[in-house]
């Protein structure tokens, strides 16, 4: 998996993770302001913006599942793959800001690798 990441500014790293159906551009005004104090890494999640699709929508579709938890179980491998990719790109302690889907990914990342997370929003 390869995620598109735009980097702006300097300082402590801050990773921005957008919500479902969005792309990193949703943060554009915020990123410009934060870049005065942080090195902002604005991520396009798989299948969003400039990042390639990895079958996220097909595997997480709960409309045809047999129960409410099926969509989550189907999305779990992709969620872990995204966390793996983020962990491989960012090796130092970081700050993470996640909204909606981005927040879920940030929580999984923090739970799996607590020393790496400096702060979450």
């Amino acid at each position: 998996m390869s995620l598109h990441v735009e980097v702006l500014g300097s300082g402590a790293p801050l990773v921005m993770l957008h919500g479902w159906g969005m792309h990193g551009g949703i943060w554009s005004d915020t990123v410009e302001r934060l870049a005065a104090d942080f090195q902002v890494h604005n991520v396009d999640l798989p299948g969003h913006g400039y990042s390639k699709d990895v079958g996220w929508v097909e595997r997480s579709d709960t409309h045809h599942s047999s129960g409410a938890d099926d969509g989550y179980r189907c999305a779990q491998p992709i969620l872990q793959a995204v966390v793996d990719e983020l962990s491989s790109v960012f090796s130092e302690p970081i700050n993470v800001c996640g909204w909606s889907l981005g927040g879920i990914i940030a929580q999984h990342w923090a739970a799996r690798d607590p020393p790496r997370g400096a702060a979450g929003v």
Side-chain angles (χ1 to χ4, degrees):
M1 171 185 314
S2 178
L3 299 174
H4 176 80
V5 181
E6 293 180 359
V7 181
L8 186 63
S10 61
L14 171 61
V15 177
M16 306 292 286
L17 302 172
H18 61 80
W20 178 261
M22 304 289 176
H23 56 83
I26 195 76
W27 302 110
S28 61
D29 291 340
T30 304
V31 166
E32 287 181 25
R33 291 183 181 110
L34 290 170
D37 298 308
F38 295 93
Q39 182 180 52
V40 182
H41 300 263
N42 196 8
V43 178
D44 281 341
L45 294 171
H48 299 80
Y50 292 107
S51 291
K52 287 187 173 185
D53 187 14
V54 292
W56 185 279
V57 175
E58 180 182 327
R59 293 183 195 170
S60 64
D61 181 9
T62 58
H63 293 72
H64 303 290
S65 66
S66 59
D69 291 335
D70 285 353
Y72 180 76
R73 276 197 308 273
C74 292
Q76 208 46 25
I78 297 171
L79 180 64
Q80 290 306 317
V82 171
V83 170
D84 288 345
E85 178 70 15
L86 291 168
S87 292
S88 73
V89 172
F90 302 100
S91 58
E92 72 279 355
I94 56 166
N95 301 290
V96 180
C97 178
W99 172 37
S100 185
L101 173 61
I104 293 169
I105 291 169
Q107 290 173 347
H108 278 264
W109 194 5
R112 195 177 90 183
D113 198 0
R116 208 168 287 179
V121 177

